[in-house]
Amino acid sequence: MSQKYLISIVGPTAIGKTALSIAMAKHYQTEIISADSRQFYKEMSIGTAAPTPAELSAAPHHFIHHKSVLEDYNVGDFEKNAISILDKLFINHDVIVMVGGSGLYVDAVIKGLDEFPEIDPSIRETLNNELANKGLEHLQNQLKILDPIAFDTIAIDNPHRVTRALEICIGSGKPYSTFLNKEKPKRPFKTITIGLTAERATIYERINKRVDHMMAEGLLDEAKNLQHLQHLNALNTVGYSELFKFLNGEWTLDFAVSEIKKNSRRYAKRQLTWFRKKEGILWFDNETSIAKIINSINQKLV
């Protein structure tokens, strides 16, 4: 096979992407790139549903627990690191598997990132303070004025996305949206993207069961160990931010767990919205046999 292929597995949280990626890696005797931005951090294991030791030993994985929450690590860093690893892996493999539900990180590997100017870090600091003191809606209103196109197109309920768009607007004096969708260099590999989905009720049931399993596995203790670092951006994520509110005395534990489930369901909805806008994804029900999915992939390999 002269052409190199990246098989990208996407879909909402708790749908079964990890199990499929391992089955794929075994079939093609290859390795796995994780594009789940929450699983990068070694201190966050239970709450991110990171692969278990048994799953990690079933196939070689990259970008699982390779960073600390104390380190700055963003999608630009990941793009550079992932492409570097892929260049090395493609020397000995014709097919590599990538798995993850973080759409921006998936796109960074497949298509490359838009280029933005360097921005004074003090602008981000000011915006983070405004977020903490005045709330997300305050930043959303700023963005709506400075860049209505970005306001209508980005994940407006994601504090990190809103803050990033605003800091570009303020720091460059130009709308964030004007930097998007410029021509990017072509990748030296082709991508086949597999999407897993299910009926909404099934997805929600799987999410609820996963959260219950996480709590039984010790998620509360994991959050306790990270409580002193709750101000870090890496920990501003579903599963931890809710438990911090319980640990801080703001919520009851039952309410915090119910909020984890609710926010996880919302996250899954956003993931599906993101990926369903993409063209060319081969969608499969999560109960589809591995053999059928592999057969569909093999028809596209040349």
Side-chain angles (χ1 to χ4, degrees), residues 25-294:
K26 286 182 174 181
H27 177 80
Y28 292 106
Q29 297 184 321
T30 190
E31 305 190 16
I32 297 172
I33 298 285
S34 173
D36 188 315
S37 63
R38 302 194 313 156
Q39 293 178 359
F40 297 158
Y41 301 108
K42 56 190 175 185
E43 297 91 348
M44 302 162 64
S45 182
I46 299 171
T48 64
T52 65
E55 289 171 329
L56 290 172
S57 66
H61 285 70
H62 302 269
F63 303 105
I64 297 289
H65 295 164
H66 72 301
K67 291 291 177 182
S68 167
V69 294
L70 297 172
E71 298 177 72
D72 288 328
Y73 194 67
N74 58 40
V75 65
D77 298 323
F78 172 69
E79 179 198 12
K80 293 171 187 173
N81 295 161
I83 294 302
S84 176
I85 290 288
L86 284 171
D87 286 343
K88 294 173 184 176
L89 294 179
F90 277 131
I91 294 173
N92 296 313
H93 300 281
D94 291 323
V95 174
I96 305 295
V97 175
M98 181 170 71
V99 60
S102 301
L104 184 62
Y105 286 72
V106 171
D107 281 357
V109 175
I110 295 174
K111 301 189 301 183
L113 289 173
D114 294 298
E115 292 190 10
F116 296 98
E118 289 290 329
I119 302 298
D120 186 339
S122 66
I123 295 175
R124 167 63 68 92
E125 185 176 350
T126 298
L127 291 170
N128 283 337
N129 288 334
E130 290 184 21
L131 175 63
N133 296 320
K134 299 181 180 180
L136 178 59
E137 186 176 357
H138 170 74
L139 297 187
Q140 291 171 336
N141 290 335
Q142 285 189 60
L143 183 61
K144 190 173 185 178
I145 294 169
L146 294 175
D147 190 350
I149 294 176
F151 180 84
D152 288 336
T153 55
I154 70 169
I156 201 65
D157 55 350
N158 185 317
H160 178 73
R161 301 284 178 263
V162 174
T163 302
R164 176 58 173 160
L166 267 178
E167 72 173 349
I168 295 297
C169 291
I170 296 168
S172 70
K174 299 178 181 179
Y176 171 81
S177 56
T178 61
F179 294 96
L180 302 178
N181 302 319
K182 304 293 185 183
E183 188 172 349
K184 305 175 186 72
K186 286 191 175 182
R187 297 303 195 202
F189 54 82
K190 287 188 176 180
T191 301
I192 300 171
T193 303
I194 302 299
L196 287 184
T197 190
E199 294 293 329
R200 181 174 296 183
T202 299
I203 295 172
Y204 287 0
E205 181 183 5
R206 290 176 67 94
I207 288 171
N208 291 340
K209 287 182 177 179
R210 171 180 276 186
V211 173
D212 288 337
H213 178 71
M214 287 176 173
M215 292 302 296
E217 288 292 301
L219 177 57
L220 181 56
D221 286 335
E222 190 170 81
K224 282 180 182 176
N225 292 333
L226 294 167
Q227 186 180 6
H228 66 292
L229 299 173
Q230 63 185 278
H231 62 283
L232 297 177
N233 185 60
L235 289 164
N236 182 22
T237 189
V238 177
Y240 297 93
S241 56
E242 296 87 355
L243 289 178
F244 291 148
K245 288 186 179 294
F246 162 68
L247 293 169
N248 295 338
E250 300 174 48
W251 290 352
T252 65
L253 182 57
D254 285 346
F255 183 72
V257 172
S258 71
E259 286 294 291
I260 294 173
K261 292 177 179 179
K262 181 183 76 175
N263 291 330
S264 295
R265 294 192 296 267
R266 287 178 173 174
Y267 178 56
K269 186 177 179 180
R270 291 198 303 271
Q271 288 175 303
L272 283 170
T273 298
W274 174 286
F275 290 119
R276 282 174 175 161
K277 289 179 180 177
K278 308 293 181 182
E279 296 181 357
I281 296 180
L282 302 176
W283 287 101
F284 294 93
D285 184 86
N286 70 313
E287 296 294 333
T288 304
S289 71
I290 299 295
K292 183 174 181 179
I293 296 175
I294 287 175

